[in-house]
Amino acid sequence: MKYINADQILPTELVEELQKYVQAGYLYVPAKDGQHRSWGELTGYRAELVKRNGQIMEDYNKGSSLEELAERYSLSVYAIRKIIYQR
């Protein structure tokens, strides 16, 4: 999450009103209902994991062992099992 200085985006009157409640602190402003983005959506990391997990499945189906996959992808055997058996 990126922090933004309120002075840069809010009217002075609103900043002064907020300062009555919070000064020099962090204030979380939640997204409106239906506007919330899911984890990894902004950074693209979720898509990277889906791609990686798909490749793990493909390698497993081609005969790679759990141990080989764990070594290749720098994951534990337990993590590889979770990826393979979640589908």
Side-chain angles (χ1 to χ4, degrees), residues 53-73:
N53 292 352
Q55 187 62 51
I56 289 172
M57 287 296 299
E58 186 177 320
D59 292 349
Y60 178 74
N61 290 332
K62 287 180 180 177
S64 293
S65 71
L66 298 177
E67 291 77 13
E68 290 170 337
L69 294 170
E71 179 71 26
R72 186 177 312 145
Y73 291 97

Side-chain angles (χ1 to χ4, degrees), residues 28-87:
Y28 174 74
V29 179
K32 290 182 177 182
D33 289 342
Q35 297 289 321
H36 191 279
R37 296 186 181 185
S38 59
W39 176 86
E41 188 177 345
L42 290 176
T43 63
Y45 190 61
R46 178 175 289 226
E48 288 180 40
L49 289 180
V50 168
K51 182 178 176 182
R52 182 206 64 189
N53 292 352
Q55 187 62 51
I56 289 172
M57 287 296 299
E58 186 177 320
D59 292 349
Y60 178 74
N61 290 332
K62 287 180 180 177
S64 293
S65 71
L66 298 177
E67 291 77 13
E68 290 170 337
L69 294 170
E71 179 71 26
R72 186 177 312 145
Y73 291 97
S74 301
L75 296 170
S76 68
V77 172
Y78 175 77
I80 295 293
R81 271 194 201 109
K82 282 179 59 176
I83 291 166
I84 290 170
Y85 297 122
Q86 76 181 355
R87 297 174 184 225

Side-chain angles (χ1 to χ4, degrees), residues 6-48:
D7 286 332
Q8 295 176 348
I9 62 168
L10 299 175
T12 303
E13 303 80 31
L14 183 53
V15 173
E16 290 172 358
E17 185 66 25
L18 287 169
Q19 286 171 333
K20 293 177 184 176
Y21 302 94
V22 178
Q23 289 195 19
Y26 298 110
L27 179 66
Y28 174 74
V29 179
K32 290 182 177 182
D33 289 342
Q35 297 289 321
H36 191 279
R37 296 186 181 185
S38 59
W39 176 86
E41 188 177 345
L42 290 176
T43 63
Y45 190 61
R46 178 175 289 226
E48 288 180 40

